[in-house]
């Protein structure tokens, strides 16, 4: 039985409030016996740990390293294997494009072809973002009958193309050959449903190559095709009126995917907490995203990740001051500094509520979490637990 | 693959004996750092713990609080989401009605209608049980061609109606409007299979209202429709000849659902153990149910739950004296005193056998169990473990 169908008759509306504080990439690996989280001076989280349930979350299945999309969908209770959000859609969300059901999102690389038409550089010498913007402006002259074409700059050589019309499909082969020395590939439909998409995209690529012929970036490579299919919303599946507070558009986009109201914050984590304070009375679920525990891990900077974790800790006491009924602190995946990448390691989780089972621990960290009262569960199993801790679930069966 | 189908070819019949000692609602939450189980003076269980496997059981999925039905079905190895036993059937089991496959069980509330025919009190002023018995006697005059009608008192305003004939279905809407100030609803079939049931139940309600018109409880409300479909038995799925020993009829009924022989014990837990001693040679699986760790928790009486846990501990040494090959001590769910209700928290489990992996622990309690050798597993996963510890499972594959 589908978990959402199972939960539906059990959902109880109450006034209680849940805060899900996601420190991106929170989990780490030990250096001199301690992880980044264990090394950081985190008095608020450590004090809270002995009054909270601890455990560890497996993002997908053991051994699988998730991207931000599956990492967050799991946290939101959506099975990341069942609900796969394609790259093209995620990229569109990442630039805050208001994507609509049926839209086809496509990842674009500006690239360089040599005189023979073979790919010489898949990233066109990593052109700067301003150059990307200038080139996209030129491509905006491309028109096709009865198709809306949207072109959006991501960063450097990366852009997003969104096609909007009826009958689009993502079931086609890439234009990007993934290697140099060969020509870009003709995109081919894998099924008849994708014939229209293939015709449109091949025509777009041809026109773009013509327009760009005098440029260093003289073609576009395409991949990551994804048609946006709307997900059931937080209101529909949990009866929750949810808000997403994040400084990076991608994470607001992920919240929007599941029907959250989104709040952009330009600056620091402290400003994100300011924002929660402003809207505290209007929502019953708050997804708060902190990016820098991940980006410092990806930079391979153990000490910087420690510092960012300490910044996260300072936000915790301010969140507690708001009096949430449930506060969960976790990540969407681990990002160990020494791996300089996302990883598959379970993510430490702390859940504080009046209904918690707990024990005295040394603090909030991977080692304590591996022996926590929650045990080791899957990320997608977290949401029903948060609802239970917030008294938002009725008993199952007599 | 269905777990039962998977297990079937692995089942090995042996003389070994398994005791599943269910202390209802065993798990709790800490008060001054210790749960009821951790506070209780339980020398037998504590001594056993270092020679046993410990772990924690998630009753359904994380966050889901089960009723007694799903809680026990899980312990018996039946996926509680797949095998849902409706309220009407559970109520019939609870009054020891010998329900048969195809019977339709219905929960009845005696209720009061005002002069306009609107529900004034859904519980008829919580009439005493004796009044319930008297009124049911009057209703027993209702007859319908080719239908057996059984009426059974539960308690106060609650009763059970069982219809027996061919072609019954539970797929219809309630008569109980759940609110006052409106008339009872006409029961309507949701599918053609339930047309006959709707006709019979509406006719019954009409006749009952006529018969009761001079009473304070002048109508009956109906809900919780459930047709009894027999489950595969313990003998069929595990090759076990099982006995259920319980003082409350509902739990014997749950044992009977899975084909256990049932033994009613009027009095204390000590008398339940007397009963096991009498039948020790005749069965190879004993489900022993102790109610009062749950009812004291539901009363919100931490100290009383502690005392009842100590009573359970005294039974343990007597069970051990019988020389079971496997002794499992656990609950069907947690009932923390401070929540005064069932809860979703994992249930501590202890399994003692000659085949156990174990470590030195401080005793049997939630904290030690959260770090136990079993880890955190689902309740429905317990039965194969018990069979394995009892040498009742062959190797899977070559």
């Amino acid at each position: 039985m589908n978990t959402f169908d199972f939960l539906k008759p059990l959902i109880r509306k109450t006034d209680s409030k849940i805060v899900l504080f996601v420190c991106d990439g929170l989990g780490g690996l030990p250096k001199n016996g301690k992880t980044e989280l264990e090394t950081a001076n985190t008095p608020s989280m450590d004090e809270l740990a002995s009054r909270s349930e601890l455990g560890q979350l497996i993002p997908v299945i053991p051994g699988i390293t998730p991207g931000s999309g599956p990492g967050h969908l799991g946290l939101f209770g959506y099975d990341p294997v069942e609900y796969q959000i394609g790259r093209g859609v995620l990229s569109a969300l990442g630039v805050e494009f208001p994507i609509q059901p049926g839209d086809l999102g496509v990842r674009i690389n500006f690239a360089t072809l040599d005189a023979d038409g073979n790919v010489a550089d898949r990233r066109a010498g990593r052109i700067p973002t301003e150059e990307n913007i200038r080139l996209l402006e030129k491509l905006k002259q491309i028109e096709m009958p009865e198709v809306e074409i949207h072109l959006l700059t991501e960063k450097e050589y990366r852009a997003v193309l969104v096609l909007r019309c009826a009958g689009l499909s993502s079931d086609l082969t890439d234009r990007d050959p993934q290697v140099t020395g060969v020509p870009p590939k003709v995109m081919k439909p894998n099924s008849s449903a994708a014939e229209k998409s293939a015709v449109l995209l091949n025509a777009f690529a041809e026109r773009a190559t013509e327009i760009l012929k005098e440029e260093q970036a003289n073609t576009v490579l395409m991949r990551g095709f994804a048609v946006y299919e709307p997900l059931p919303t937080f209101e529909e599946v949990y009866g929750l009126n949810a808000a997403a507070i994040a400084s990076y558009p991608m994470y607001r986009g992920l919240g929007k995917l599941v029907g959250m109201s989104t709040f952009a914050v330009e600056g620091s984590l402290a400003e994100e907490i300011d924002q929660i304070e402003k809207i505290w009375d209007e929502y019953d679920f708050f997804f708060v995203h902190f990016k820098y525990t991940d980006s410092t891990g990806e930079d391979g900077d153990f000490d910087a990740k420690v510092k960012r974790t300490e910044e996260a800790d300072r936000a915790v006491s301010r969140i507690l001051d708001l009096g949430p009924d449930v506060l969960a602190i976790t990540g969407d995946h681990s990002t160990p500094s020494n791996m300089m990448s996302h990883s598959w390691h379970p993510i430490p989780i702390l859940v504080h509520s009046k209904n918690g089972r707990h024990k005295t621990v040394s603090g909030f960290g991977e080692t304590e979490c591996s022996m926590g009262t929650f045990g080791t569960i899957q990320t997608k199993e977290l949401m029903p637990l948060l609802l239970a801790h917030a008294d938002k679930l009725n008993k199952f069966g007599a």
Side-chain angles (χ1 to χ4, degrees), chain A:
Chain A
M1 190 180 202
N2 178 293
T3 304
F4 293 155
D5 292 340
F6 176 72
L7 287 178
K8 196 152 210 150
L10 305 180
I11 298 291
R12 173 162 64 192
K13 289 240 186 196
T14 69
D15 290 338
S16 60
K17 290 179 190 288
I18 301 170
V19 175
L20 173 62
F21 181 24
V22 177
C23 301
D24 204 302
L26 181 64
L29 285 173
K31 186 173 115 175
N32 303 322
K34 285 185 174 183
T35 66
E36 299 89 331
L37 177 57
E38 290 165 347
T39 303
N41 178 28
T42 51
S44 293
M45 296 195 282
D46 290 345
E47 189 276 329
L48 204 57
S50 290
R51 300 186 285 126
S52 302
E53 304 235 21
L54 302 185
Q56 46 184 11
L57 302 179
I58 295 174
V60 186
I61 58 169
I64 302 302
T65 297
S68 299
H72 279 84
L73 284 179
L75 285 172
F76 299 156
Y78 296 68
D79 183 340
V81 177
E82 185 183 345
Y83 295 96
Q84 294 193 29
I85 309 298
R87 189 96 214 182
V89 168
L90 277 180
S91 292
L93 294 174
V95 294
E96 283 190 283
F97 177 76
I99 198 157
Q100 293 182 9
D103 285 358
L104 174 63
V106 180
R107 281 286 300 263
I108 282 185
N109 274 19
F110 282 105
T112 304
L113 300 178
D114 64 19
D116 299 328
N118 293 326
V119 177
D121 186 337
R122 287 181 57 248
R123 299 180 184 85
R126 292 188 183 267
I127 52 166
T129 304
E130 306 78 63
E131 180 71 353
N132 180 320
I133 293 168
R134 185 182 68 80
L135 296 174
L136 277 196
E137 279 309 314
K138 291 183 79 166
L139 296 184
K140 282 178 184 168
Q141 67 185 276
I142 301 176
E143 290 188 353
M144 292 173 172
E146 292 175 44
V147 184
E148 267 186 53
I149 301 177
H150 299 273
L151 285 161
L152 309 135
T153 296
E154 276 199 282
K155 205 177 173 183
E156 298 174 348
Y157 57 92
R158 296 200 309 270
V160 188
L161 164 67
V162 177
L163 298 186
R164 179 172 295 163
C165 64
L168 295 172
S169 162
S170 61
D171 191 20
L172 64 166
T173 61
D174 291 355
R175 175 170 163 83
D176 187 344
Q178 296 287 343
V179 291
T180 55
V182 300
K185 292 187 183 169
V186 174
M187 293 166 272
K188 290 188 182 145
N190 294 318
S191 61
S192 60
E195 280 169 16
K196 178 176 180 179
S197 304
V199 168
L200 294 174
L201 291 172
N202 283 314
F204 180 90
E206 222 165 280
R207 279 286 288 134
T209 308
E210 210 174 284
I211 293 168
L212 300 173
K213 62 176 183 283
E214 305 300 328
E215 305 284 349
Q216 174 194 349
N218 59 5
T219 196
V220 289
L221 300 180
M222 292 148 133
R223 63 193 166 102
F225 310 114
V227 169
Y228 172 47
E229 294 165 29
L231 303 181
T233 67
F234 254 45
E235 178 64 46
E236 286 162 0
V237 299
Y238 305 128
L240 289 173
N241 184 20
I245 301 98
S247 61
Y248 275 57
M250 156 86 91
Y251 305 98
R252 293 196 297 274
L254 286 164
K256 195 173 283 179
L257 267 185
V258 296
M260 295 183 185
S261 301
T262 58
F263 295 87
V265 174
E266 281 304 309
S268 65
L269 180 55
E271 284 166 84
E272 293 190 24
I273 310 299
D274 292 344
Q275 180 63 51
I276 305 175
E277 288 171 353
K278 276 182 216 151
I279 58 173
W280 184 248
D281 292 337
E282 294 161 52
Y283 296 90
D284 46 19
F285 186 95
F286 301 82
F287 156 52
V288 191
H289 183 267
F290 181 55
K291 176 66 181 171
Y292 299 103
T293 32
D294 174 62
S295 43
T296 47
E298 292 213 318
D299 291 344
D301 192 336
F302 190 97
D303 296 339
K305 192 176 175 194
V306 167
K307 282 260 173 293
R308 289 301 194 166
T309 305
E310 293 172 349
E311 181 180 347
D313 189 68
R314 288 190 290 275
V316 167
S317 62
R318 286 189 61 198
I319 295 173
L320 283 174
D321 285 344
L322 289 163
D325 297 274
V326 178
L327 169 61
I329 307 173
T330 189
D332 56 337
H333 52 75
S334 297
T335 305
S337 312
N338 68 347
M339 293 181 69
M340 301 182 70
S341 67
H342 294 197
S343 81
W344 64 89
H345 300 89
I347 313 149
I349 168 87
L350 175 160
V351 173
H352 180 66
S353 84
K354 73 175 185 343
N355 296 318
R357 179 180 285 170
H358 42 72
K359 57 185 176 185
T360 305
V361 295
S362 61
F364 181 43
E366 286 82 346
T367 300
E368 290 290 7
C369 284
S370 72
M371 301 181 289
T373 49
F374 272 167
T376 299
I377 60 175
Q378 288 195 304
T379 297
K380 69 178 179 187
E381 296 177 312
L382 176 64
M383 272 303 297
L385 267 171
L386 299 188
L387 294 172
H389 277 263
D391 296 322
K392 288 184 191 290
L393 282 183
N394 288 316
K395 184 164 70 173
F396 166 59

